[in-house]
Amino acid sequence: MVRLITHNLLACHVKGCNTNNFPLQFRDIQIELREAEFNPDFLKGFMPKIEWKALVDAARQLGDTSLPLEQPEMLDDEFLKNLHHVLLEVKEV
Amino acid sequence: MSRPELVAPPEIYYGDIEAKKYTQNTRNQQIQADMTYRALEILNLPPEEPAFLLDIGCGSGLSGEILDEEGYIWTGVDVAPSMLEVALEREVEGDLFLQDIGQGFGFRPGSFDGAISISVLQWLLNAETSHPTSSPPHRLNRFFTTLHSALRNPSRAVFQFYPSSDDQIQLITSIAQKAGFGGGIVVDYPNSKKAKKVFLCLFVGGGGSQQQIPKGLEGEEEEDNRVRFERRRDRERGKAKSGKRGSLKDRDWILKKKELYRKRGKEDVPRDSKYTGRKRKAVF
Ligand SMILES: C[S@@+](CC[C@H](N)C(=O)[O-])C[C@H]1O[C@@H](n2cnc3c(N)ncnc32)[C@H](O)[C@@H]1O
């Protein structure tokens, strides 16, 4: 049960696993949606930590195409709402 | 009575029955909550800035619930499946991982704005695990090294723990230092047998004046209770004003949550009845 915020920060750390160790691949994935409080400041602060491509790919694999392929420079409300949903409200189970 | 960490490996000691007992004990809830608040105080995060935290040895979520309450976003790891099961039942907000911290973390560098760990570290001082891998120093080393890298610079990690000797404290701090941490030990109420609490406060980066080891709390236990109580009350008052949810999971709160889960299409949400949200006797 992880949200994409955590998935995006996880690399495989099994000893000897150095190639292709990020991002972890989904297997038999199911998702659950869970409402969370929207907090634009948190998202803005978190932006620099995100591996953008991995996040967009993960979201697409789970059927969410709301994020642009390139990390945008302008953080408008609509973008932040989408990011909020992808990072904090979609849960892999 | 001997300390739990001397009885059995954690994932066995905290089996189904003990996990429930541990979590339902109201006195224990209070103690873990108080220590979590104090750890957050020592963590000293910039106010009003939302942070992403790691709860190390999160167990059934007694510490994590406080993080929820205070509005933090968090991820927890624990080695005991039964404890995590209870955390899931209690619907904590954080992500939960089944992991032995003695084998280190796999988080990308700089992932977390801080870490807390309440009543866990003493378990790493014991060699006994159900899959014996290596010695305590080896496990501690792997733990601190990977934790150091998972934290952002600058940041802090605060551990409340139960050392059984000064040698243990010495061992832990020296391994943490080798892993790159600054910091040291904070002792609250060192002269009180009952209220004494030991915290390890570790720093990543920030050097010099910015990162100073906070002072332990002094004074007598009674005073301690009053002070804590007032702090708690202030917090609650602040919360009422800011409209954040209170700490008590009262009937209204439960009904609201249930409604939310039904809306999300979750199955098996218990129906509402006159028993909803009533105090229950603990039954084992
Ligand atoms: C006293 S409980 C504290 C739980 C929670 N932090 C709280 O405040 O209620 C100690 C927890 O540490 C966990 N633990 C012990 N050794 C561990 C290890 N090697 N890796 C991960 N968790 C561990 C146990 O499973 C247990 O849930």
Side-chain angles (χ1 to χ4, degrees):
Chain A
M1 293 263 277
V2 262
R3 294 165 294 185
L4 289 187
I5 188 173
T6 310
H7 174 264
N8 196 254
L9 295 172
L10 265 183
C12 175
H13 71 304
V14 172
K15 271 210 190 103
C17 173
N18 293 315
T19 49
N20 265 333
N21 65 348
F22 177 84
L24 300 182
Q25 297 301 315
F26 298 133
R27 238 188 320 171
D28 299 335
I29 202 71
Q30 278 190 33
I31 61 165
E32 181 183 299
L33 298 180
R34 180 164 171 169
E35 227 169 278
E37 209 172 310
F38 178 59
N39 188 335
D41 290 336
F42 175 78
L43 295 166
K44 284 180 199 153
F46 200 79
M47 284 284 287
K49 292 189 199 164
I50 300 175
E51 283 281 342
W52 191 254
K53 185 172 169 342
L55 181 66
V56 174
D57 286 352
R60 286 178 188 224
Q61 278 182 50
L62 302 181
D64 188 305
T65 53
S66 63
L67 296 180
L69 287 173
E70 296 289 324
Q71 191 159 351
E73 306 208 331
M74 272 285 297
L75 308 180
D76 59 31
D77 227 41
E78 192 196 334
F79 166 75
L80 288 173
K81 288 237 160 79
N82 290 338
L83 181 63
H84 166 73
H85 180 71
V86 166
L87 276 182
L88 294 167
E89 297 191 321
V90 181
K91 240 178 165 178
E92 314 151 24
V93 257
Chain B
M1 223 178 65
S2 37
R3 297 231 21 106
E5 64 273 16
L6 302 175
V7 176
E11 66 277 27
I12 296 184
Y13 180 84
Y14 293 105
D16 285 348
I17 294 172
E18 182 58 33
K20 289 213 168 65
K21 227 155 104 177
Y22 174 88
T23 313
Q24 287 169 354
N25 182 320
T26 45
R27 199 179 129 67
N28 186 51
Q29 290 173 359
Q30 180 69 43
I31 295 173
Q32 300 307 112
D34 277 343
M35 295 192 300
T36 308
Y37 279 123
R38 175 67 176 137
L40 282 174
E41 203 168 82
I42 299 177
L43 203 56
N44 196 25
L45 291 159
E48 306 296 320
E49 250 177 61
F52 186 46
L53 302 183
L54 179 62
D55 186 355
I56 302 164
C58 60
S60 53
L62 294 185
S63 41
E65 281 172 356
I66 306 299
L67 301 181
D68 285 342
E69 229 178 73
E70 297 288 304
Y72 295 109
I73 296 174
W74 59 280
T75 287
V77 300
D78 201 283
V79 76
S82 306
M83 289 293 261
L84 292 176
E85 198 64 43
V86 176
L88 284 177
E89 276 164 27
R90 289 170 76 87
E91 312 262 13
V92 295
E93 304 280 340
D95 286 342
L96 304 171
F97 282 92
L98 180 66
Q99 198 183 0
D100 169 18
I101 57 170
Q103 303 191 28
F105 298 108
F107 296 107
R108 285 204 280 115
S111 291
F112 296 98
D113 301 316
I116 63 154
S117 175
I118 310 298
S119 317
V120 179
L121 213 45
Q122 69 275 0
W123 285 93
L124 279 191
L125 293 163
N126 259 285
E128 213 188 329
T129 63
S130 45
H131 355 258
T133 38
S134 41
S135 64
H138 190 102
R139 286 164 58 73
L140 282 165
N141 181 40
R142 192 149 170 85
F143 167 66
F144 282 125
T145 321
T146 53
L147 174 64
H148 187 271
S149 116
L151 289 167
R152 76 156 210 220
N153 184 348
S155 66
R156 291 185 178 187
V158 177
F159 304 76
Q160 178 277 327
F161 72 116
Y162 296 105
S164 59
S165 69
D166 286 348
D167 283 354
Q168 289 194 339
I169 295 184
Q170 185 58 35
L171 177 73
I172 287 185
T173 47
S174 74
I175 295 178
Q177 268 167 16
K178 273 193 215 115
F181 284 107
I185 294 283
V186 179
V187 184
D188 282 356
Y189 310 110
N191 301 321
S192 157
K193 219 173 168 176
K194 255 164 74 193
K196 180 175 168 181
K197 288 281 162 346
V198 179
F199 293 85
L200 174 65
C201 173
L202 296 180
F203 308 143
V204 176
S209 54
Q210 267 177 320
Q211 299 250 32
Q212 289 226 326
I213 304 178
K215 284 210 171 57
L217 303 176
E218 298 281 339
E220 294 303 311
E221 214 184 327
E222 268 155 356
E223 193 186 341
D224 155 29
N225 278 339
R226 209 202 67 228
V227 172
R228 281 194 199 184
F229 183 62
E230 299 214 329
R231 235 196 294 138
R232 168 80 45 104
R233 249 204 340 233
D234 287 345
R235 241 179 342 246
E236 244 128 55
R237 237 185 268 130
K239 216 170 281 151
K241 247 188 271 149
S242 73
K244 264 204 192 165
R245 79 173 198 243
S247 67
L248 274 182
K249 301 203 165 173
D250 59 12
R251 191 179 150 86
D252 282 349
W253 183 89
I254 295 174
L255 290 175
K256 234 177 74 194
K257 268 243 158 170
K258 282 181 162 179
E259 188 54 43
L260 191 62
Y261 288 123
R262 285 194 195 103
K263 260 198 342 228
R264 288 178 200 156
K266 188 172 165 178
E267 281 164 31
D268 309 327
V269 179
R271 68 194 166 80
D272 304 331
S273 76
K274 63 179 180 176
Y275 299 110
T276 304
R278 276 227 200 146
K279 278 224 165 62
R280 309 251 155 103
K281 282 211 192 80
V283 187
F284 302 119

